[in-house]
Amino acid sequence: QVQLVESGGGVVQPGRSLRLSCAASGFTFSNYGMHWVRQAPGRGLEMVAVIWFDGTKKYYPDSVKGRFTVSRDNSKNIVFLQMSNLTAEDTAVYYCARDFCSDSSCYLPAYWGQGALVTVSS
Amino acid sequence: EIVLTQSPATLSLSPGERATLSCRASQSVSSYLAWYRHKPGQAPRLLIYDASNRATGIPARFSGSGSDTDFTLTISSLEPEDFAVYYCQQRSRWPFTFGQGTKVEIK
């Protein structure tokens, strides 16, 4: 079955960087787009990055554009989220999710990991 | 940015009762509306996509309806595992946004 395991979360100081990883198994990783979605404490969900199955298209909301970079290694079935210039507002649980559609993107997170907590604090 | 407004914020019901959740979009999203269930400490689960299609493995007690700006998720008879937070999400226009959630709690 589809399994997604995030890692790399932790406590980081404001202004510093952090890289999250998401290891995928149970499906043909190179066929599916991937998402990163976060949930800040007491708040709802926010999609912060989307990457197509082949890495050719990437999307970011204005809140993270220029600071976050999504990438993937289809040979190792891993998707990454590189986060820089972090602020307290980036404190959240970060989920990776697999798209519903193969060979393109439906922009529909269908299968989710358990999440990784990122805390930005001095 | 398309804003999704969910109502009510909290729904207090008993097991076996019917739950009706609403999601309203600030502009038309056609039928590109999904629903998720999120239990604390767990991964969110896709329930409904494209307004009315049940995702794989989702029981028939979950149904979705609506189009354009007004959508409804109905749970015909609440099971213990259904007490959770429910989110709607639109994929009509980037950024693909979520509603703020409706919490279904045990009365």
Side-chain angles (χ1 to χ4, degrees):
Chain A
Q1 72 279 19
V2 174
Q3 192 164 11
L4 301 166
V5 180
E6 301 93 341
S7 61
V11 180
V12 59
Q13 293 179 329
R16 303 298 291 265
S17 298
L18 196 67
R19 188 178 80 161
L20 300 180
S21 301
C22 172
S25 61
F27 63 100
T28 304
F29 181 73
S30 59
N31 286 356
Y32 289 89
M34 297 295 293
H35 305 252
W36 286 97
V37 180
R38 69 182 179 184
Q39 184 172 34
R43 303 189 68 175
L45 299 168
E46 179 188 18
M47 194 175 291
V48 294
V50 178
I51 183 168
W52 268 41
F53 68 105
D54 57 2
T56 57
K57 295 185 180 182
K58 303 175 184 181
Y59 300 92
Y60 309 94
D62 288 344
S63 58
V64 307
K65 194 176 294 184
R67 300 189 301 119
F68 287 16
T69 301
V70 61
S71 61
R72 63 191 296 157
D73 184 339
N74 283 350
S75 68
K76 296 182 179 178
N77 293 357
I78 302 177
V79 60
F80 303 99
L81 184 68
Q82 178 70 44
M83 304 181 290
S84 63
N85 195 21
L86 288 162
T87 73
E89 293 188 346
D90 298 314
T91 294
V93 176
Y94 286 75
Y95 297 95
C96 77
R98 196 205 83 178
D99 198 88
F100 185 82
C101 297
S102 63
D103 301 324
S104 63
S105 185
C106 293
Y107 311 108
L108 181 65
Y111 297 91
W112 300 56
Q114 298 286 338
L117 177 61
V118 173
T119 302
V120 183
S121 173
S122 55
Chain B
E1 175 175 312
I2 295 176
V3 176
L4 299 179
T5 302
Q6 293 187 239
S7 62
T10 303
L11 201 50
S12 298
L13 295 167
S14 301
E17 288 195 296
R18 182 184 189 90
T20 302
L21 289 66
S22 174
C23 178
R24 177 164 290 179
S26 60
Q27 57 187 278
S28 177
V29 299
S30 185
S31 294
Y32 296 120
L33 196 286
W35 291 93
Y36 298 85
R37 181 179 68 187
H38 191 194
K39 294 189 275 190
Q42 296 190 19
R45 185 171 187 184
L46 176 66
L47 302 172
I48 300 288
Y49 65 95
D50 293 352
S52 61
N53 297 289
R54 275 192 303 275
T56 302
I58 300 303
R61 66 179 183 274
F62 292 94
S63 63
S65 63
S67 64
D68 291 329
T69 61
D70 288 293
F71 300 87
T72 300
L73 173 70
T74 301
I75 310 171
S76 60
S77 177
L78 285 165
E79 296 287 337
E81 61 267 28
D82 298 333
F83 292 93
V85 180
Y86 291 80
Y87 294 96
C88 55
Q89 179 236 339
Q90 64 84 16
R91 62 184 185 97
S92 174
R93 183 175 301 182
W94 182 257
F96 304 126
T97 47
F98 293 84
Q100 84 281 14
T102 289
K103 182 180 181 181
V104 178
E105 65 177 21
I106 299 177
K107 186 175 182 181

